[in-house]
């Protein structure tokens, strides 16, 4: 079996349907729009034919995450802490204001800070959801006192994400 | 004759070519490419900052709920990119859960937010850049470069807002969904001046109600 499979980005797909004609197994023709990966043999024909560049060939297993230097991670974490605090300040402004414009502005600030932090985390050792770091993080959350349905979700994630390290 | 550079998009204002000294430009002059205000521009010759030795500490620190929430939403994006929609949904749910658990930070005015941004620009980003350069971590350098630019923009927007609370009233607000760049104006730029993503990723933040 091929180590690749085809996936379609529904946000780009223009429904030109060329991929329907070239797929030798009918994997591209589904009611959900997602390619049926049980049928897909990874030949790549659909990806080459797609006029919109909406189909990527992705590996079943992604390469291992780059190992990050400890000091780099520490410095990025300092920025993360600061930006999260700023998000929480903006949230306070948002929650405590009746002014439409200030609410709009603080909402944009909340979002901007959140995006900065999400990006920082990727470079601080959490690029891959299948990494050991992510597992350690999730396991640590399980130790805490949290609701049962949240615990179940965390366990589900640990089951679904295959470790790759 | 000097050159002045837009720290956001890299546009160069060349006094020799323009025939007008940079200081003589009006205060409300803006970068013709990205709209960054005049006061953000930097003269080309830069002072080289002193390199201090930064030491590793081995402190293991508890993550705050806000941090947990942000890490979960980051991982949700990571799953989304891999077309793991079920996993993405679970991470988003976790992120919302911890976001609700986290407390807001009380401030009396936006100056307190400004001083945090200044601290990032003056200390945190500088140190991080030093370390990332030394360790040749280009991924980290990318996130530092983008974050620094966005921080500068946030700073100048908050300053503008404090000077004139009406400057947002009649126009629109956009946030780049990739890097967090905020654009306030009628027509969003064709690409994000910070991360260069096409404009469809600049999402509008509307007025509520
Ligand atoms: S060929 Fe590409 S654009 Fe057309 S339906 Fe298939 S995935 Fe969508
Ligand atoms: S890679 Fe080949 S088998 Fe798989 S969906 Fe595309 S055309 Fe069909
Ligand atoms: Zn500019
Ligand atoms: Zn951007």
């Amino acid at each position: 079996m091929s180590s690749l499979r085809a996936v379609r980005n529904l946000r780009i797909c223009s429904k030109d349907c060329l991929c329907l004609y070239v797929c030798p197994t009918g994997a591209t023709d589904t009611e959900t729009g997602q390619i049926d990966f049980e049928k897909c043999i990874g030949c790549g024909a659909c990806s080459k034919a797609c006029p919109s560049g909406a189909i990527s060939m992705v590996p079943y297993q992604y390469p291992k995450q780059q190992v990050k230097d400890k000091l780099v991670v520490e410095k990025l974490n300092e920025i993360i802490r600061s930006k999260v605090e700023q998000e929480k300040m903006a949230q306070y402004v948002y929650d405590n204001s009746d002014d439409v414009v200030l609410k709009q502005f603080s909402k944009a600030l909340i979002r901007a800070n959140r995006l900065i932090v999400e990006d920082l985390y990727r470079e601080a050792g959490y690029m891959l959801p299948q990494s050991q770091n992510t597992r350690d993080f999730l396991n640590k959350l399980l130790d805490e006192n949290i609701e049962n349905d949240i615990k179940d979700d965390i366990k589900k994630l640990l089951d679904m994400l295959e470790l790759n390290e | 004759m000097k050159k002045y550079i837009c720290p956001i998009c890299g546009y160069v204002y060349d006094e020799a070519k323009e025939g007008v000294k940079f200081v003589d430009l009006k205060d409300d002059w803006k970068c013709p490419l990205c709209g960054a205000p005049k006061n953000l521009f930097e003269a080309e010759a830069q002072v080289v900052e002193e390199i201090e030795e930064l030491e590793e500490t081995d402190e293991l620190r508890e993550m705050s709920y806000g941090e947990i929430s942000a890490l979960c939403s980051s991982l949700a994006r990571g799953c989304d990119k891999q077309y793991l929609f079920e996993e993405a949904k679970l991470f988003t749910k976790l992120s919302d859960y911890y976001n609700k658990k986290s407390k807001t930070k009380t401030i009396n005015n936006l100056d307190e937010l400004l001083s945090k941004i200044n601290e990032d620009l003056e200390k945190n980003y500088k140190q991080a850049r030093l370390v990332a350069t030394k360790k040749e971590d280009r991924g980290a350098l990318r996130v530092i470069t983008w974050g620094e630019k966005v921080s500068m923009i946030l700073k100048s927007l908050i300053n503008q807002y404090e000077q004139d609370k009406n400057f947002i009233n009649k126009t629109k607000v956009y946030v780049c969904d990739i890097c967090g760049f905020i654009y306030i104006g009628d027509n969003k730029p064709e690409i994000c001046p910070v991360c260069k993503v096409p404009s469809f990723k600049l999402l509008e933040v509307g007025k509520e109600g």
Side-chain angles (χ1 to χ4, degrees):
Chain A
M1 202 187 73
S2 165
S3 63
L4 297 173
R5 65 185 177 101
V7 286
R8 181 189 283 125
N9 188 334
L10 294 174
R11 277 162 269 185
I12 302 175
C13 170
S14 60
K15 323 291 184 243
D16 286 310
C17 295
L18 256 176
C19 59
L20 300 193
Y21 296 94
V22 299
C23 176
T25 67
T28 52
D29 196 3
T30 62
E31 77 290 0
T32 57
Q34 284 310 326
I35 290 170
D36 184 344
F37 71 86
E38 293 194 3
K39 282 191 191 162
C40 174
I41 54 168
C43 70
C46 57
S47 171
K48 289 195 193 98
C50 174
S52 317
I55 300 184
S56 313
M57 303 304 297
V58 300
Y60 276 93
Q61 205 178 45
Y62 282 81
K64 292 186 186 72
Q65 182 169 282
Q66 304 287 314
V67 177
K68 285 282 173 172
D69 178 83
K70 250 174 88 186
L71 191 53
V72 172
V73 170
E74 203 177 296
K75 288 297 154 196
L76 295 182
N77 272 323
E78 273 169 21
I79 308 174
I80 285 172
R81 250 166 273 160
S82 176
K83 293 301 182 197
V84 168
E85 207 180 318
Q86 288 165 52
E87 182 195 318
K88 296 295 147 193
M89 289 173 165
Q91 183 75 53
Y92 176 83
V93 174
Y94 179 86
D95 292 347
N96 292 282
S97 166
D98 300 321
D99 181 71
V100 183
V101 171
L102 185 54
K103 258 188 152 29
Q104 180 189 23
F105 188 34
S106 52
K107 194 170 175 184
L109 290 170
I110 294 167
R111 205 186 275 175
N113 278 295
R114 173 58 67 108
L115 286 158
I116 293 174
V117 174
E118 286 176 356
D119 200 7
L120 282 160
Y121 269 126
R122 278 191 284 276
E123 296 299 336
Y126 295 98
M127 182 73 81
L128 213 60
Q130 294 89 344
S131 66
Q132 185 64 48
N133 282 353
T134 303
R135 289 197 91 74
D136 293 347
F137 165 65
L138 288 173
N139 275 317
K140 199 147 171 279
L141 293 182
L142 278 181
D143 294 342
E144 280 188 49
N145 204 4
I146 46 174
E147 278 80 338
N148 275 333
D149 65 314
I150 296 294
K151 269 204 174 136
D152 289 344
D153 287 340
I154 296 175
K155 283 184 196 145
K156 240 189 261 169
L157 274 171
L158 283 164
D159 276 347
M160 292 168 93
L161 295 167
E162 217 176 300
L163 175 68
N164 176 21
E165 214 160 299
Chain B
M1 290 286 158
K2 269 194 195 160
K3 285 180 181 161
Y4 289 82
I5 296 162
C6 173
I8 307 302
C9 72
Y11 172 80
V12 181
Y13 182 91
D14 188 344
E15 288 183 335
K17 272 199 205 134
E18 306 285 341
V20 181
K21 286 207 140 192
F22 190 74
V23 285
D24 294 337
L25 291 170
K26 288 209 197 95
D27 284 344
D28 63 358
W29 182 88
K30 286 191 167 65
C31 172
L33 285 187
C34 77
K38 183 184 170 189
N39 60 14
L40 281 188
F41 274 66
E42 288 158 3
E44 198 180 33
Q46 293 252 5
V47 197
V48 185
E49 56 200 74
E50 75 282 18
I51 293 183
E52 24 178 337
E53 264 320 303
L54 295 162
E55 288 204 10
E56 230 173 80
T57 57
D58 239 338
E59 51 147 359
L60 260 180
R61 216 188 40 93
E62 289 293 313
M63 287 169 82
S64 69
Y65 289 139
E67 286 162 45
I68 294 174
S69 171
L71 177 47
C72 287
S73 55
S74 176
L75 289 164
R77 281 179 173 251
C79 290
D80 202 57
K81 275 190 203 125
Q82 290 183 30
Y83 302 89
L84 303 171
F85 301 116
E86 192 60 31
E87 290 87 336
K89 237 176 33 209
L90 287 169
F91 271 122
T92 302
K93 192 173 160 198
L94 286 180
S95 174
D96 292 343
Y97 170 78
Y98 283 101
N99 202 37
K100 284 207 190 78
K101 265 173 105 93
S102 73
K103 290 203 178 64
T104 56
K105 172 109 182 150
T106 309
I107 51 173
N108 296 314
N109 51 51
L110 290 174
D111 284 344
E112 292 178 50
L113 183 49
L114 268 184
S115 73
K116 286 297 286 181
I117 300 177
N118 278 331
E119 194 185 308
D120 288 342
L121 288 171
E122 279 152 27
K123 189 185 125 230
N124 294 334
Y125 275 115
K126 286 211 167 118
Q127 290 191 353
R129 177 178 294 284
L130 231 57
V131 174
T133 307
K134 207 155 106 189
K135 309 284 181 182
E136 292 173 10
D137 186 335
R138 298 192 62 182
L141 281 172
R142 175 195 61 75
V143 78
I144 290 163
T145 303
W146 289 7
E148 244 178 347
K149 290 181 176 188
V150 175
S151 299
M152 278 188 256
I153 277 289
L154 299 190
K155 178 178 161 179
S156 89
L157 290 176
I158 294 172
N159 274 325
Q160 279 182 67
Y161 178 81
E162 289 199 312
Q163 271 161 32
D164 174 16
K165 301 211 174 341
N166 296 320
F167 96 106
I168 307 176
N169 282 3
K170 289 196 182 60
T171 188
K172 291 179 177 160
V173 178
Y174 297 92
V175 181
C176 172
D177 200 38
I178 303 301
C179 70
F181 167 75
I182 297 182
Y183 182 79
I184 296 183
D186 294 342
N187 305 306
K188 56 182 175 175
E190 259 167 47
I191 56 168
C192 170
V194 175
C195 74
K196 317 291 183 213
V197 75
S199 72
F200 75 91
K201 291 278 187 185
L202 297 179
L203 307 181
E204 187 173 352
V205 179
K207 295 184 173 62
E208 287 172 20

